Amino acid sequence: MTKQLVKFIICCFLLTSIFSCTNNQVNNTTSSSNNQATTTVASVAETTEKIKFKTAGDTDLFSLKQQADGSKLVDGNNQEIARIKADKSGKIKIKNAQEKVLGYVVSAPGAWILKNPEQNQDLFTFKRQSDSDYQLEDANKKLVYRIQSSQNSLEIATPDKKLVYQVKIKDGKMSLRNPSGRTIFSTKSSMSPIAVACFGLDALTREQQAALAYAVNLTGGK
């Protein structure tokens, strides 16, 4: 074999190796880009999910339209009721459709405090008592509601143990029912049961209920 032929073979081998490495780098880069795009799409889908609450007759009652930094509460006709916006500190601001501040929800480990618009007064405190039990206290730390878990449901009761509502969980649907068993509303959307129970706290306004539900749902009630 001549020296020229040996050199030619070596050159061909080197060029083939370089071409192969380049292709691998391109494929890896493309694969990485595709994975990143998939993750981004999933993230956007999670933040834009619309959580619908329907009447017993299956008509829209109200919804939470999820956004990157909060949520919008809209009525059955898709008209805005309130805006719920979370800042980096975890504090949640409640505003109406006219941009008027209605109050705040401040989270702490196992507790969520509803404050007035000036943030100088605690209006209500929602507390976790155990893994599945909660209670709502007013500004004077007086018990307003107690929420206790039972089989496939959560029970909302007054301090004297009078049943107010139940959150029933069945076949992928959660429903808020009154003591006689009549459905007030239901949802098939992804939300923690204790967050749904917040809409049964009648001492709160609908805007406060939605903001509390949003804050509780962020941590799964912990």
Side-chain angles (χ1 to χ4, degrees):
M1 184 179 292
T2 63
K3 291 183 178 180
Q4 287 80 1
L5 182 57
V6 172
K7 287 182 179 180
F8 178 77
I9 292 172
I10 292 172
C11 287
C12 289
F13 177 78
L14 291 174
L15 287 172
T16 301
S17 299
I18 292 170
F19 181 78
S20 177
C21 289
T22 303
N23 274 346
N24 287 337
Q25 289 176 352
V26 170
N27 289 337
N28 288 339
T29 302
T30 303
S31 176
S32 177
S33 299
N34 288 339
N35 289 339
Q36 186 175 10
T38 301
T39 301
T40 302
V41 170
S43 178
V44 171
E46 288 171 3
T47 57
T48 56
E49 179 193 2
K50 189 175 183 180
I51 301 175
K52 295 182 179 182
F53 297 87
K54 294 176 175 287
T55 65
D58 204 37
T59 58
D60 290 348
L61 183 61
F62 61 92
S63 300
L64 285 173
K65 298 174 72 174
Q66 303 292 72
Q67 298 179 315
D69 60 348
S71 185
K72 281 186 180 181
L73 175 67
V74 298
D75 64 17
N77 297 316
N78 207 37
Q79 296 299 306
E80 184 178 322
I81 301 173
R83 298 182 186 184
I84 301 163
K85 188 172 182 179
D87 62 20
K88 293 181 180 179
S89 68
K91 183 168 59 179
I92 293 170
K93 181 187 291 187
I94 315 166
K95 296 191 296 184
N96 64 14
Q98 291 73 42
E99 297 287 331
K100 180 182 178 181
V101 177
L102 304 177
Y104 291 82
V105 179
V106 179
S107 299
W112 298 265
I113 304 166
L114 288 98
K115 291 180 171 287
N116 65 348
E118 295 75 28
Q119 301 185 68
N120 57 9
Q121 182 181 355
D122 295 349
L123 304 177
F124 294 94
T125 301
F126 190 61
K127 290 182 177 180
R128 183 185 181 198
Q129 299 298 107
S130 65
D131 287 344
S132 55
D133 294 349
Y134 297 78
Q135 65 183 35
L136 181 73
E137 297 177 351
D138 65 14
N140 298 314
K141 299 188 182 301
K142 184 179 178 181
L143 182 63
V144 182
Y145 297 111
R146 182 182 286 109
I147 300 177
Q148 294 179 311
S149 63
S150 60
Q151 188 175 9
N152 297 323
S153 70
L154 293 174
E155 296 184 349
I156 304 171
T158 59
D160 59 357
K161 299 182 179 181
K162 182 180 179 181
L163 182 65
V164 181
Y165 295 110
Q166 282 184 311
V167 176
K168 288 282 189 178
I169 306 164
K170 185 178 180 181
D171 299 330
K173 181 169 74 172
M174 287 181 285
S175 57
L176 184 75
R177 302 182 186 184
N178 66 12
S180 63
R182 184 173 68 87
T183 296
I184 308 301
F185 64 73
S186 64
T187 181
K188 291 182 179 179
S189 300
S190 177
M191 199 174 201
S192 67
I194 189 59
V196 173
C198 292
F199 288 104
L201 304 176
D202 288 342
L204 309 181
T205 65
R206 179 67 87 203
E207 294 87 345
Q208 289 174 325
Q209 290 173 351
L212 179 60
Y214 175 82
V216 169
N217 197 57
L218 283 178
T219 61
K222 297 180 179 180

